[in-house]
Amino acid sequence: MEHVAVSPWVALAYLVSGVLFILALRGLSSPATSRAGNRYGMIGMTIAVATTLLTHEIASLPEIIVALAIGGGIGFVIARKIAMTDMPQLVAAFHSLVGLAAVLVGLAAYLNPDAFGIMLPDGQINPVSRIELGLGIAIGAITFSGSVIAFLKLAGKMSGSPILLPGRHVLNLGTLIAIIGLVAYFTQDQSAWVIATITVLSFIIGFLLIIPIGGADMPVVVSMLNSYSGWAAAAMGFTLHNTAMIVTGALVGSSGAILSYIMCKAMNRGFLAVIAGGFGAEATAAGGAAREQRPWKRGSAEDAAYMMREAENVIIIPGYGMAVSQAQHALREMGDVLKKEGVNVKYAIHPVAGRMPGHMNVLLAEANVPYDEVFELEDINSEFAQADVAFIIGANDVVNPAAKTDKSSPIYGMPVFDVDKAKTIFFVKRSMGGVGYAGVDNDVFYMDQTMMLLADAKKMVEDIVKALQH
């Protein structure tokens, strides 16, 4: 199959879609412009898909309509049913599908190279296309298997703690070198065993890379897998001679890599250290039962309502516990009541709060919390010294002072909120028995100015709202 020169109109359509994708990324960088960003992305994807369907002999129209109906129908049903608390594992699942698609496209091109325009007159696959195929299949397989493990960890179907295999670094490095070597060898020998071995080893290394990564690093893992899926799509774009896929894949890959870097910086962690895994595995026994016996004070909804009504400045720090109990709407109602009482209310969001990048921002936006009341770590941390109340709901590791003081702690060096500087701290938590996702006890529980509000987060906030209204 020979490819004719690309029509200027096709090139222009792909260029427009690429610009719209860039605008989408720009819009999605802020909650205030996220809806517009989403629309730009949808329009860009519609243009790219329509252009591809009109200019490529991929399949007959009925086949395309059936495929779109099946895929779109499944996506629509899942999106309608999925709870906001399950969004991280949904994102991981979608990443796995992108990776699997890259593997399947690569294998299809290997089995029928003439249909993809990558076959030479002697019946061999173009050597350059072999590199694209090998890399696309490898990255796709790593993305798929890694995303499956991330999904299982996020969904609680697999332990969130690091699973450390003996000699894992040597095993991972050896497997990666073998994959790279086989991709290089594939340019000289296109035997089936070469491509099959690349595929199998890539699936294996995806599992091996994610299994030793602990729950505290999950936001980085999600953004990293997002980057992988982009590079897999870009590699397949070269195989399919599709400019839109190359541009889109490169945008997703690079933005995911940049986001991973930002997340690592927010945790004071090296990217390679996260990939190596094991974060949270060294939590000491002292963080468990022994420290549990320290004295702490229990508060009530009435205590919290009284103190916050009398306060001038209240800073709310949400975490994954808020997401699990779906307390965001009740929390917004509490904020509204406090503002009517003349209290200055702000929300503090840590870059790695929750189980994926932007998790808390999405939940607060869903509850219609005003964007100008939501602040990032570096913008609000200096205000805790003037705060009358720090209200922590479902967060733990991101307010743990051990990150600043305990060099033996697995979260040491991670920037955290200075909640210990607030006059009063209310800490909403199910029980005193649990610890954060990193598996570390928290000194804030036992501070003189802390009152523990032990209950389901949503019920506790609803009780506080009732107390405020009386």
Side-chain angles (χ1 to χ4, degrees), residues 49 53 58-74:
V49 171
L53 294 180
I58 348 176
S60 66
L61 187 60
E63 290 173 328
I64 294 171
I65 292 174
V66 170
L68 288 173
I70 294 174
I74 293 173

Side-chain angles (χ1 to χ4, degrees), residues 148-164 209-219 221 267 269 274 277-283 320 354-355 397 410 435-440:
V148 168
I149 295 297
F151 170 83
L152 294 174
K153 283 178 175 270
L154 290 165
K157 300 181 185 300
M158 181 178 183
S159 173
S161 301
I163 300 173
L164 306 179
L209 284 174
I210 306 301
I211 280 177
I213 298 179
D217 281 344
M218 269 301 137
V221 171
M267 300 167 68
R269 302 261 291 144
V274 174
F279 188 40
E282 306 299 328
Y320 187 63
R355 296 294 182 268
D397 296 328
V435 292
Y437 214 27
V440 187

Side-chain angles (χ1 to χ4, degrees), residues 177-187 189 193-194 197-198 201:
I177 290 174
I179 292 171
I180 295 171
L182 283 169
V183 171
Y185 180 70
F186 187 52
T187 62
D189 181 2
W193 73 266
V194 181
T197 307
I198 291 172
L201 287 179

Side-chain angles (χ1 to χ4, degrees), residues 300-317 330-331 334-335 337-346 388-393 424-428 451 453 460-465 467-468:
S300 65
E302 289 73 21
D303 295 328
Y306 174 78
M307 293 297 293
M308 286 194 286
R309 183 188 286 118
E310 299 298 315
E312 184 177 341
N313 297 302
V314 172
I315 300 178
I316 299 170
I317 305 98
L331 192 66
M334 184 186 83
V337 174
L338 288 172
K339 284 186 289 184
K340 288 179 182 177
E341 298 281 345
V343 181
N344 181 28
V345 178
K346 294 181 178 180
D388 298 297
V389 174
F391 188 84
I392 304 166
I393 174 168
T424 303
I425 301 170
F426 287 104
F427 208 123
V428 182
M451 298 183 74
L453 304 178
M460 175 57 70
V461 175
E462 288 174 344
D463 290 344
I464 291 172
V465 172
L468 284 169

Side-chain angles (χ1 to χ4, degrees), residues 4-47:
V4 297
V6 178
S7 164
W9 294 106
V10 173
L12 178 62
Y14 283 153
L15 176 61
V16 170
S17 66
V19 171
L20 287 169
F21 292 145
I22 294 172
L23 292 174
L25 287 175
R26 178 69 183 88
L28 292 170
S29 65
S30 168
T33 57
S34 60
R35 289 181 183 273
N38 217 10
R39 283 194 291 270
Y40 286 137
M42 292 168 65
I43 295 170
M45 186 57 71
T46 300
I47 293 173

